[in-house]
Amino acid sequence: GGVEVAALRLMESLEGEQFRNTAFHVRGAESVARAFGAAGFETVGHDQVEPSYLHPRAFFQNSLRLAREFRQRGVNLVHCQDLLAAHYTALAGRLAGAPVLCHVRSQHRDISRRDAGFLRAVNHFVFVSHNAQESFGLKVGPTRGTVIYDGFDFVEADAAAARRDVFREFGIPAQTRVV
């Protein structure tokens, strides 16, 4: 999906001398593992256990296992590609001693008090727009939230040549005014 494609693009752009990326995915998400593996990234499947205040043992034990995996693999930043990933893995990142960053790509107006508690482990939220930040259901101050628009590479084109090519492609006479 879109979140996975965005994560892959980000990892590809950061891979190099300063960064080594590992894609952690929910066990059973084989299409995700294949896509990241085909791009040359290490992938690791992990279990996803529903957080619970009433019955915290399973979630806490799973968070400890994932934190151990983070430490063994030298993870020093946990980047959750969406709010749901942060909901399930932020505690593990903090237990591993790594800062947790959460990407917010869409509106999340209604976040329950229960869910907000599990998001407290997130150190910093990155919003893809001011709208995503303004519609976020948690109070996130400027030290804990930043807007960073997704970027893209582009090639500067010769406008006159591009116009001629488009006119030629669609059979439009050169002197025609186009709006």
Side-chain angles (χ1 to χ4, degrees):
V3 170
E4 291 83 1
V5 170
L8 185 56
R9 282 193 344 239
L10 182 62
M11 289 171 64
E12 287 172 336
S13 69
L14 293 174
E15 188 72 14
E17 293 179 25
Q18 290 184 311
F19 297 97
R20 183 182 59 80
N21 296 285
T22 301
F24 284 79
H25 60 86
V26 176
R27 200 176 312 281
E30 298 311 315
S31 62
V32 173
R34 280 192 302 276
F36 284 80
F41 294 105
E42 175 185 26
T43 65
V44 180
H46 67 90
D47 294 320
Q48 183 171 286
V49 175
E50 184 66 33
S52 173
Y53 288 115
L54 294 176
H55 307 286
R57 175 176 274 159
F59 175 69
F60 187 68
Q61 288 176 336
N62 191 61
S63 294
L64 286 172
R65 278 191 298 274
L66 187 54
R68 194 174 314 113
E69 190 76 33
F70 287 161
R71 284 191 302 273
Q72 287 173 350
R73 294 180 185 279
V75 172
N76 54 22
L77 173 68
V78 175
H79 182 195
C80 301
Q81 282 295 320
D82 61 18
L83 199 62
L84 192 58
H87 181 77
Y88 287 103
T89 62
L91 178 61
R94 292 298 288 270
L95 290 170
V100 178
L101 178 74
C102 177
H103 234 103
V104 180
R105 291 187 165 81
S106 58
Q107 294 182 349
H108 293 281
R109 294 187 188 283
D110 301 316
I111 298 174
S112 70
R113 289 182 72 197
R114 174 200 177 274
D115 291 344
F118 292 107
L119 295 172
R120 283 193 186 111
V122 174
N123 295 86
H124 202 84
F125 293 91
V126 173
F127 300 94
V128 297
S129 69
H130 287 288
N131 181 267
Q133 183 180 35
E134 291 163 4
S135 66
F136 196 54
L138 292 177
K139 297 276 187 217
V140 176
T143 60
R144 198 167 169 228
T146 305
V147 174
I148 301 176
Y149 288 92
D150 286 347
F152 58 91
D153 292 332
F154 66 94
V155 177
E156 198 168 316
D158 176 356
R163 178 181 173 88
R164 283 191 304 273
D165 291 345
V166 169
F167 275 44
R168 190 176 315 114
E169 179 180 348
F170 292 102
I172 302 171
Q175 64 278 10
T176 305
R177 293 186 93 169
V178 176
V179 178

